[in-house]
Amino acid sequence: LPFLLDRAAGPHGTLLGHVARANPHWHEFAGRPALAVFSGPHAYVSPTWYEAEPAVPTWNYLAVHATGRAEVIEDRAALLEIVRRSVDVYEA
């Protein structure tokens, strides 16, 4: 799911997202623990890059795990605001 970070909501911010009602997954969210995983840049690291031997290849990567409690927004105006903000960001 695409998320927006509302930095002003909560001590560490709040992730906002939208799941279509046609998607049955939203029924499972309300009040439950949630984990959002964000994958960042990644790249192969060749053993030839190391000065010390023996060396083995590895993978350099970045990932962020965000945990919290999911909340289903039923208020129509609040829901439309989340959708509007998402469109503004992702359709830009």
Side-chain angles (χ1 to χ4, degrees), residues 35-48:
L35 169 66
V37 178
F38 300 93
S39 297
H42 57 92
Y44 173 77
V45 179
S46 170
T48 63

Side-chain angles (χ1 to χ4, degrees), residues 1 8 15 30 35 40 44 74 84:
L1 297 175
L15 291 175
L35 169 66
Y44 173 77
E74 297 287 350
R84 184 199 60 76

Side-chain angles (χ1 to χ4, degrees), residues 40-92:
H42 57 92
Y44 173 77
V45 179
S46 170
T48 63
W49 294 357
Y50 295 99
E51 292 181 12
E53 290 197 21
V56 297
T58 189
W59 202 264
N60 190 17
Y61 65 93
L62 176 72
V64 173
H65 292 191
T67 60
R69 189 156 299 279
E71 178 182 344
V72 174
I73 306 296
E74 297 287 350
D75 178 75
R76 181 174 172 80
L79 178 60
L80 288 174
E81 178 63 13
I82 292 170
V83 171
R84 184 199 60 76
R85 288 174 62 186
S86 297
V87 167
D88 287 349
V89 169
Y90 292 109
E91 292 289 330

Side-chain angles (χ1 to χ4, degrees), residues 3-22:
F3 286 104
L4 301 173
L5 174 60
D6 184 344
R7 293 180 187 277
H12 303 291
T14 298
L15 291 175
L16 303 173
H18 177 262
V19 178
R21 288 222 184 250

